[in-house]
Amino acid sequence: MMTMRKRSFISKIFLILLIITQISSVVVNSQNFDKSNDLFNSYYLWKLGEDKNGLLRILITSSSESVEDIQKKLSDAHIKILGRLDLVKALVVEISPDKISLLRSLDSNIQIYPDLKIKLLDESQGSLKSLLSNYLLSSDVFLEQVALGNVSYTPNASRSIVQAPDMWSMGFTGRGVKVAVIDTGIQHDHPWLLKSDNTSVVVYHYDVTNDALEYCEAHGTHVAGIIAAQYTAYQKIGLGANFTYPGVAPGVSIYDIKVFNSSYYGCQYTRSSWIIAGIERALLGPDEKPNTGDEADIISMSLGMIVEPYLAPYLMSHPLLQAISKAVSAGKLVVVAAGNAGPGGYTTNLMCYVEGVICVAAAADQWSTNLDMLFTAFFSSRGPLAWGSTPLMISAPGVFVISSIPTDYFPPYIAAAMSGTSMATPHVSGVLALL
């Protein structure tokens, strides 16, 4: 007669074998099925495309018909088309869930993807509010603590850590390099972003979302300052007062490509279709024509989404990743924030899965320029990536980085410290511009 201990042991072995079998099945299936057509078999993946009104925002491509042909079929079927993405030959559609089968009947080779909801990787509004109540914002208290030796602080330490001042001294400022900041919009006339002739480093503004506001968050202005704030970027009050905070590459030209909207989830989320349109505009440049010389050289994106490893194979062919891949293939340097979902593994931004992307983690400590003191920030996402993807990952300063914020946000403050891989990413974009 089988003892209780033997029965328990056999049950555990059976459970382990069952798990191994299931994992093997997932691996085999992920390599053999048409991931895009099976995409909406999962309730969770349906939710990725759901909008506020209960309708689905989806991206549609076809392996057998042109965009024009699919567009006509959708129009004839009275399906609402929100836009067209020529870079990836896709249509943006809003549809009720019960009409997905109708799409299948129009074209058996149609491929359906959720229009992913992508977020700012750093909750900058919350960060700013907490910073404004932080005792360090009192310059007298802060400088007193520095004088007493209680705080080890080097002005503009994050820029020194990436050795930008050494490059400046040799005449390298990024002059002539065009950096597209795909973000929440930038205050182009911010004092830190104005050159000596009173013109802005922001030479081009394009709003994918048709928002009434030039910027709908502090995030984009802060990112732009890390890249291109001028040598005269002086902090009069608050954290790090009485010091200047030039960007890593003060000579660059910034393309402000806004993909967030003030009326869409409080400017904290965007859609993958808007990002794709933003990437397309960066690849065309202000004249909206390819290969004329005004295209962006570097694309900097401090945004993204973290997905569970088992979902990665479903999304590897998503048009957003296709658009990023096309930018890399066009010879552009694409820099993407890794995310703030650490310290565990498999927590990296989905957008980092594209081969050739430079994926940026956050490093600390910015209180000094001693490189031996740097370590990966606790919150920073990290690999490995699922399914054998091998990203180019690098870390840069991303903790308590001082940079510009819109002057109308918390007057009289025009700068603040923020933390996240969103802050690390523009450091790398700036260094690439110097090179």
Side-chain angles (χ1 to χ4, degrees):
M1 188 173 181
M2 187 179 296
T3 65
M4 184 66 70
R5 180 175 297 178
K6 285 183 178 180
R7 187 179 294 111
S8 176
F9 176 76
I10 291 173
S11 297
K12 289 178 180 178
I13 292 295
F14 177 77
L15 180 60
I16 291 171
L17 290 174
L18 179 61
I19 292 173
I20 292 173
T21 301
Q22 290 297 319
I23 292 174
S24 300
S25 174
V26 169
V27 172
V28 171
N29 288 339
S30 72
Q31 295 171 349
N32 293 331
F33 62 50
D34 181 344
K35 302 175 185 63
S36 60
N37 280 335
D38 280 354
L39 193 57
F40 284 91
N41 288 344
S42 164
Y43 173 75
Y44 180 66
L45 288 167
W46 273 100
K47 299 297 287 185
L48 289 176
E50 187 177 26
D51 213 347
K52 288 181 178 180
N53 53 12
L55 298 176
L56 297 176
R57 281 178 60 116
I58 59 177
L59 306 182
I60 294 177
T61 64
S62 174
S63 58
S64 62
E65 296 197 48
S66 67
V67 176
E68 291 78 10
D69 290 340
I70 294 297
Q71 187 168 0
K72 185 178 185 308
K73 287 183 177 181
L74 294 177
S75 298
D76 291 344
H78 305 291
I79 294 174
K80 186 176 182 180
I81 300 172
L82 299 177
R84 174 171 166 165
L85 302 169
D86 289 329
L87 181 63
V88 291
K89 295 181 173 59
L91 295 172
V92 186
V93 169
E94 184 178 73
I95 192 171
S96 61
D98 58 357
K99 288 189 176 180
I100 290 293
S101 58
L102 173 60
L103 295 177
R104 301 285 187 216
S105 67
L106 297 177
D107 180 1
S108 60
N109 293 311
I110 207 168
Q111 295 166 312
I112 305 171
Y113 304 87
D115 190 4
L116 298 171
K117 194 164 69 172
I118 307 290
K119 71 174 294 184
L120 286 176
L121 291 174
D122 307 290
E123 298 287 349
S124 50
Q125 287 182 341
S127 300
L128 286 170
K129 289 176 182 177
S130 65
L131 283 169
L132 288 173
S133 62
N134 192 304
Y135 82 96
L136 287 176
L137 281 174
S138 167
S139 59
D140 292 337
V141 172
F142 180 76
L143 294 175
E144 179 184 355
Q145 293 299 312
V146 172
L148 292 172
N150 295 332
V151 176
S152 175
Y153 180 76
T154 301
N156 211 3
S158 73
R159 282 67 152 183
S160 297
I161 287 171
V162 297
Q163 301 180 49
D166 294 337
M167 298 293 286
W168 304 337
S169 67
M170 294 185 286
F172 297 102
T173 65
R175 182 180 298 276
V177 178
K178 301 173 288 294
V179 182
V181 176
I182 297 181
D183 213 289
T184 62
I186 301 166
Q187 183 186 0
H188 78 279
D189 60 352
H190 189 284
W192 286 21
L193 301 178
L194 295 179
K195 296 181 287 188
S196 58
D197 62 0
N198 211 38
T199 60
S200 178
V201 298
V202 181
V203 299
Y204 175 57
H205 170 78
Y206 178 70
D207 190 343
V208 173
T209 74
N210 295 315
D211 197 355
L213 303 179
E214 179 186 27
Y215 50 88
C216 62
E217 237 279 3
H219 196 271
T221 302
H222 198 272
V223 166
I226 295 172
I227 297 173
Q230 297 300 284
Y231 298 111
T232 53
Y234 184 70
Q235 178 75 318
K236 294 181 180 179
I237 59 174
L239 179 65
N242 303 319
F243 297 119
T244 55
Y245 293 87
V248 176
V252 303
S253 296
I254 296 290
Y255 286 0
D256 171 21
I257 300 180
K258 182 171 172 288
V259 297
F260 287 80
N261 189 286
S262 57
S263 62
Y264 190 74
Y265 290 97
C267 198
Q268 293 297 310
Y269 285 89
T270 181
R271 283 290 186 180
S272 56
S273 57
W274 287 344
I275 299 174
I276 294 168
I279 294 172
E280 181 172 7
R281 184 52 62 99
L283 295 177
L284 292 175
D287 68 359
E288 302 179 32
K289 299 176 182 178
N291 305 316
T292 58
D294 68 341
E295 303 85 8
D297 303 300
I298 299 169
I299 299 176
S300 188
M301 294 188 284
S302 294
L303 43 80
M305 67 180 299
I306 314 298
V307 300
E308 298 294 338
Y310 70 87
L311 289 177
Y314 290 92
L315 297 172
M316 291 301 286
S317 60
H318 192 280
L320 174 59
L321 274 60
Q322 293 179 35
I324 296 171
S325 181
K326 286 179 180 292
V328 172
S329 298
K332 308 306 175 185
L333 296 170
V334 181
V335 190
V336 175
N340 303 323
Y346 297 101
T347 54
T348 306
N349 184 356
L350 174 69
M351 293 163 61
C352 285
Y353 278 64
V354 179
E355 185 176 355
V357 162
I358 301 170
C359 186
V360 186
D365 160 32
Q366 271 82 268
W367 295 113
S368 73
T369 57
N370 185 352
L371 297 181
D372 294 333
M373 297 293 289
L374 289 177
F375 55 90
T376 302
F378 179 83
F379 60 78
S380 183
S381 293
R382 59 207 75 194
L385 298 188
W387 311 105
S389 299
T390 54
L392 173 58
M393 294 198 72
I394 190 171
S395 61
V399 176
F400 242 56
V401 178
I402 296 175
S403 185
S404 46
I405 61 171
T407 54
D408 60 346
Y409 262 50
F410 298 103
Y413 299 102
I414 64 171
M418 293 164 67
S419 299
T421 55
S422 283
M423 284 67 250
T425 299
H427 281 89
V428 174
S429 298
V431 169
L432 291 172
L434 294 177
L435 298 175

